[in-house]
């Protein structure tokens, strides 16, 4: 593993520090596990007798080891830990702190701060406090207090709870589930999910990642690492504490509140992952994802040798929202020729209890060939004439040659290893029951959808014409001066107009006569609102003059009684209450993940439903359509555009805490907003880098033009996922020398994984700028002539850069223009240094970087490389 956390997750040497009677028991358990695991590296027990000693004496003993230790496991009293860390400077690279402090919050926080200062001063990374330790099966490392033995495998388990790690290992022990790495983060005062995920992405021993999450401290870092990991390896998340926070029914704007757990699920949907709710589901999802066959759609077929299990599976599919496939006529005809008469030829397919292994597998093969089927569940019931192992072998042979997922449920085969072995040859996981098999497919369908969303790169604004940010800033300043928490209707209207969102006309009225005149001018129905109100001071659906008079009397009476704060009354055109098709769009700010957009039916309709769909901003056209569809709203193009305008507002204005457009109707092809309310924190100012968002938008503001010395103009823009093909052509068109100097080895072609890595970037921590010219071979197409990129390091102060230009464009200034643009972007991000490894033989690159102000130094670990560094 080549990563800054390699000493933690794949250490070559381990020191165990234990002290006091209480910590001694814990330390002794860890030592016994280290010895029992036959750790391949160097093991150094410090204070092996576990007497009560000071940290200073422990580390004097460590100094005698004569080497820098990769990982120190500390099981000592809380009071001794700061001293231990102080004397570990220069002797330890990473620390897993099993100790914790049981004290009031203020004292515990002070202890945490002291530990963090000591670790940073000593150049150490710290996991914990209250950590579980580390298991690395490939090294024989079990540096934990965990009794269950982890079976070797290709899954990594990362949790925030050591108890959950222990329980999950115990749960997995009797199952054919193995692990490459197991660790828990404990209190996460230093190392968090983001860095561990980043390390596991590059770990060759890990094919899939399981996460147990209780809370997220840094949403941007968490989402950045999670999205990066999910692009390369399946990630399954088990989230606890779904109901830990008290539920709110309504938000400050009078809209149904969005629960934090709903937002967390929406975040995972944008991260390319699968969310589960139980231990069993965690491993069920991991097993099906590890097969590596992702369905093209979500239509499931069921083939069973018994009627009852097939019906149970169909019921489970409907309960899980899984779509049962409709079989094509050709498939039905083929089944007619194969199966005995008397059974309907529909999904689920019943091959009858007397079916041989050949008939069972033949039906599976026919159904899999149906173009309307995306995946299949094969259900087998023990029968005297139907040998379970033979049926498993026959189905596995069909599945092995298929490009669609096949899931199995061999009922009654829990303790029959030959069945398991036969199915696994064909990549068929056995889920034992119809319900579990269908549930596993539902995870696969969710994964497919989430992976598609992961490839979407929404921009920060939607229209060719950028929003009127100056006008929006005027609204913010006024709100700050007048101390508004909810914008007055007129201010809300001006703010939305800055983003191209038109609302119904409104008029401030002072008397009933003025209200009646305004109503006649705009036409009934109308709404009356106390300016600045959030729903209490409001009357909607006023259809005629008498109703207007009653509403005026009620509002003015409430104002006079002090129920409502004295303010102006606003009259606004409004659609009738309960008009068919009315919907609501809302923007809310989650405390962890920032702005989220929700769509659902209008709460002002008759018997309005609470069902809503939620997505994290930013959104693009595809995501906006999916949001509306999930909310059972017809995705009219005008509504899609309105969602994108709301997304643009969310990106640009972190001081907008909430927005409610309710009701919204499509009238004669145009979206009509009946009423808009905006909650603000006007003291908050926009910050660079979209810091208020968990997902960095596509940086459309970086699109532009590069002008070369000879006057040639090239298009400049950040890379996008759809650039994979032109990236492949660009790299394959480089000379052997250029490819060698860029990648440091003789590369002949780019693998799909490499293409994905280079084009599916996280704009928060990575930027790849393309210089493009029209491609004469492809009408309207583009060709890459140069790429410059940087990837931020874990310290978020420095970044590694790389640049390569097409051989035919050498000497024309493409590289210099690209690097100057990249350096400007790095400065704007707040980075302090750009660093890059250069082969010593690449003298042209060395001279190029020196010409840009880089300094050159020998690489510390490779005599054939130098390091180019630019202080920004």
């Amino acid at each position: 593993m080549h990563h800054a956390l390699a000493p933690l997750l794949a250490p070559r040497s381990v020191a165990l520090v234990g002290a006091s009677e209480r910590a001694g028991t814990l330390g002794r358990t860890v030592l016994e596990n280290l010895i029992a695991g036959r750790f391949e590296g160097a093991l150094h027990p410090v204070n092996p007798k576990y007497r009560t000693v000071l940290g200073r004496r422990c580390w004097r003993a460590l100094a005698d080891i004569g080497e820098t230790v990769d990982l120190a496991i500390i099981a000592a009293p809380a009071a001794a830990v700061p001293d231990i860390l102080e004397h570990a400077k220069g002797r330890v690279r990473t620390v897993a702190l099993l100790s914790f402090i049981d004290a009031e919050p203020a004292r515990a926080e002070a202890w945490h701060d002291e530990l963090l200062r000591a670790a940073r001063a000593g150049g150490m990374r710290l996991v914990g406090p209250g950590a579980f330790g580390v298991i690395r099966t490939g090294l024989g490392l079990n540096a934990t207090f965990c009794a269950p033995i982890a079976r070797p495998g290709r899954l990594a388990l990362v949790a925030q709870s050591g108890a959950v790690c222990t329980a999950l290992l115990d749960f997995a022990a009797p199952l054919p589930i193995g692990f490459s790495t197991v660790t828990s983060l404990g209190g996460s005062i230093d190392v968090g999910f983001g860095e561990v995920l980043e390390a596991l992405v590059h770990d060759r021993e890990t094919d899939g990642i399981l996460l147990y999450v209780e809370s997220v401290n840094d949403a941007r870092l968490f989402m950045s690492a999670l999205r990066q990991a999910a692009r390369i390896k399946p990630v399954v998340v088990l989230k606890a504490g779904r109901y830990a926070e008290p539920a709110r029914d309504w938000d400050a704007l009078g809209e149904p509140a969005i629960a934090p757990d709903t937002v967390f699920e929406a975040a995972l949907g944008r991260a390319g992952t699968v969310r589960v709710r139980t231990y069993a589901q965690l491993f069920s999802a991991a097993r099906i994802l590890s097969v590596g066959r992702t369905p093209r759609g979500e239509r499931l077929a069921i083939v069973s040798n018994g009627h009852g299990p097939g019906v149970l599976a169909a019921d489970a599919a409907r309960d899980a929202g899984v779509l049962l496939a409709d079989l094509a006529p050709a498939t039905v005809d083929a089944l007619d020729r194969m199966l005995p008469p008397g059974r309907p030829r529909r999904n689920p397919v019943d091959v009858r209890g007397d079916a041989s292994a050949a008939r069972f597998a033949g039906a599976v093969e026919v159904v899999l060939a149906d173009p309307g089927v995306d995946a299949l569940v094969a259900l087998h019931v023990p029968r005297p004439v139907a040998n379970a192992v033979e049926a498993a072998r026959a189905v596995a042979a069909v599945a092995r040659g298929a490009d669609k997922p096949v899931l199995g449920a061999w009922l009654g085969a829990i303790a029959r290893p030959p069945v398991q072995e036969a199915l696994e040859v064909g990549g068929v996981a056995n889920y034992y029951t119809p319900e579990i098999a269908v549930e596993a497919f539902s995870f696969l369908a969710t994964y497919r959808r989430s992976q598609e969303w992961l490839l979407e790169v929404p921009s920060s604004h939607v229209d060719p014409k950028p929003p009127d940010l100056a006008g929006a800033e005027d609204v913010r300043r006024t709100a700050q001066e007048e101390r508004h928490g909810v914008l007055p209707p007129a201010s809300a209207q001006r703010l939305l107009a800055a983003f191209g969102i038109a609302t119904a006309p409104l008029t401030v009225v002072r008397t009933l006569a003025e209200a009646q005149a305004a109503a006649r001018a705009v036409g009934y129905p109308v709404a009356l609102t106390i300016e600045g109100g959030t729903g209490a001071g409001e009357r909607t659906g006023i259809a005629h003059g008498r109703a207007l008079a009653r509403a005026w009397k009620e509002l003015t009476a409430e104002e006079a009684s002090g129920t409502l704060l004295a303010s102006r009354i606003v009259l606004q055109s409004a659609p009738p209450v309960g008009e068919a098709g009315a919907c609501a769009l809302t923007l809310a700010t989650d405390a962890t993940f920032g702005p989220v957009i929700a769509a659902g039916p209008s709460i002002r309709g008759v018997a309005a439903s609470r069902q809503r769909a939620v997505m994290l901003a930013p959104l693009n056209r595809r995501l906006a359509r999916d949001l509306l569809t999930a909310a059972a709203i017809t995705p009219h193009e005008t509504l899609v555009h309105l969602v994108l305008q709301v997304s643009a507002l969310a990106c640009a204005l972190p001081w907008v805490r909430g927005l409610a457009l309710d009701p919204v109707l499509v009238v004669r092809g145009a979206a009509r907003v009946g009423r808009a309310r905006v909650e603000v924190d006007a003291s908050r100012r926009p910050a660079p880098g979209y810091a208020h968002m968990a997902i960095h938008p596509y940086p459309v503001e970086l699109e532009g033009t590069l002008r070369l010395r000879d006057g040639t103009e090239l298009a400049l823009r950040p890379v996008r996922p759809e650039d994979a093909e032109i990236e492949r052509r660009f790299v394959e068109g480089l000379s052997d020398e250029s490819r060698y100097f860029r990648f440091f080895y003789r590369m002949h072609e780019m693998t799909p994984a490499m293409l994905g890595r280079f084009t599916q970037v996280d704009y928060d921590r990575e930027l790849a700028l393309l210089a493009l010219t029209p491609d004469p071979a492809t009408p309207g197409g583009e060709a890459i002539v140069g790429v410059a990129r940087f990837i931020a390091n874990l310290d978020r102060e420095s970044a590694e850069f790389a640049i390569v230009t097409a051989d035919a464009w050498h000497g024309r200034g493409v590289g210099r223009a690209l690097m100057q643009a990249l350096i400007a972007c790095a400065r704007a991000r707040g980075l302090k240094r750009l660093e890059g490894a250069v082969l010593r033989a690449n003298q042209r690159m060395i001279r190029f970087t020196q010409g840009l102000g880089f300094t050159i130094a020998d690489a510390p670990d490779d005599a054939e490389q130098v390091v180019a560094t630019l202080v920004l």
Side-chain angles (χ1 to χ4, degrees), residues 74-94:
I74 299 179
V81 174
D83 194 39
I84 292 174
L85 293 177
E86 179 68 26
H87 290 85
K89 289 180 182 178
R91 300 187 178 119
V92 172
R93 294 186 176 93
T94 60

Side-chain angles (χ1 to χ4, degrees), residues 55-397:
R56 185 183 302 274
R57 290 179 58 192
C58 289
W59 288 109
R60 280 179 178 167
L62 179 64
D64 297 334
I65 294 172
E67 68 170 323
T68 301
V69 175
D70 280 343
L71 172 63
I73 307 292
I74 299 179
V81 174
D83 194 39
I84 292 174
L85 293 177
E86 179 68 26
H87 290 85
K89 289 180 182 178
R91 300 187 178 119
V92 172
R93 294 186 176 93
T94 60
V95 173
L97 178 58
L98 279 56
S99 313
F100 63 94
I101 189 168
D102 187 9
E104 64 275 8
R107 185 182 167 203
E109 185 176 353
W111 186 68
H112 292 164
D113 291 342
E114 187 178 9
L115 299 186
L116 195 55
R117 284 194 301 271
R120 287 177 175 171
M124 296 171 285
R125 302 309 309 276
L126 188 150
V127 175
F132 166 78
V134 180
I135 293 176
R136 184 74 172 183
T137 56
L139 297 176
L141 174 66
N142 182 3
T144 74
F145 53 81
C146 176
I149 299 173
R151 184 194 303 263
R154 307 288 299 178
L155 289 174
L157 170 62
V158 184
Q160 281 182 312
S161 164
V164 168
C165 278
T166 303
L168 286 171
L169 288 175
D170 192 50
F171 183 89
L175 303 175
I177 298 172
F179 299 90
S180 63
T181 306
V182 180
T183 189
S184 80
L185 303 178
S188 300
I189 63 172
D190 182 23
V191 174
F193 275 118
E195 294 169 84
V196 175
L197 279 169
E198 190 176 69
L200 292 173
V201 165
H202 302 288
D203 180 21
R204 296 179 180 177
E205 304 297 317
T206 298
D207 291 338
I209 302 171
L210 310 181
L211 299 183
Y212 168 78
V213 180
E214 293 178 353
S215 62
V216 174
N217 297 325
D218 186 331
R220 175 68 73 86
L221 181 59
F222 176 76
M223 289 293 290
S224 175
L226 193 58
R227 285 163 63 86
Q228 180 196 11
R231 289 184 174 104
I232 300 173
K233 301 176 181 181
V235 181
V236 184
V237 181
L238 172 61
K239 172 69 165 65
R242 300 196 300 273
Y243 307 107
E245 299 183 36
R248 293 186 302 135
D249 290 334
W250 305 95
D251 64 17
L253 297 177
E255 292 290 323
I258 303 174
D261 191 68
T262 301
V263 176
F264 182 85
E265 185 139 0
L268 295 187
R270 294 291 302 280
T273 64
V274 174
R275 193 260 180 92
V276 297
R277 287 170 168 76
T278 67
Y279 288 175
Q281 290 177 346
L282 185 70
F283 294 116
S284 177
R287 289 182 71 196
I288 187 60
L289 293 180
S290 66
V291 174
R293 294 178 185 169
T294 304
R296 289 185 289 270
E298 301 180 13
R299 299 163 298 182
L300 179 66
I302 300 165
V303 176
S304 173
N305 70 337
H307 174 70
V311 174
L312 287 172
D315 289 345
R318 292 186 178 93
D319 290 342
V322 170
L323 180 65
L324 290 177
D326 292 324
L327 302 181
T331 304
V332 174
D333 291 342
L335 291 173
D336 278 337
R337 293 189 295 270
M338 179 184 302
L339 303 180
R343 289 288 188 186
R345 308 298 187 233
R346 61 172 180 263
N347 188 17
V349 176
D350 181 4
V351 299
R352 306 289 294 271
D354 60 353
S356 64
R359 186 203 296 175
F360 191 14
V364 168
E365 186 172 19
V366 166
V367 175
L368 272 177
D370 191 315
V373 171
D374 298 310
L376 183 142
V377 168
L379 306 176
H380 187 273
V381 183
R383 303 276 191 173
V385 297
N387 183 276
V389 177
E390 291 179 4
R393 288 174 182 156
V395 170

Side-chain angles (χ1 to χ4, degrees), residues 812-838:
R812 299 182 62 179
V814 176
R816 176 171 289 274
L818 266 176
M819 275 303 297
Q820 287 172 339
L822 190 74
I823 290 168
C825 292
R827 286 196 176 106
R829 293 279 182 94
L831 293 172
K832 297 180 180 179
R833 296 185 312 282
L834 280 180
E835 303 167 337
V838 182

Side-chain angles (χ1 to χ4, degrees), residues 380-383 386-390 410-423 430 432:
H380 187 273
V381 183
R383 303 276 191 173
N387 183 276
V389 177
E390 291 179 4
W410 258 241
L411 284 71
I414 292 179
R416 300 179 67 179
V419 170
Q420 305 294 115
E421 294 166 2
L423 290 172
N430 184 13
Y432 307 111

Side-chain angles (χ1 to χ4, degrees), residues 569-609:
I569 295 180
V570 175
L571 183 140
Q572 191 170 23
S573 174
V577 173
E579 182 170 333
C583 66
L585 296 177
T586 57
L587 169 67
T589 301
D590 181 73
T592 300
F593 291 97
V596 295
I597 299 173
S602 170
I603 66 168
R604 304 183 186 289
V606 177
S609 168

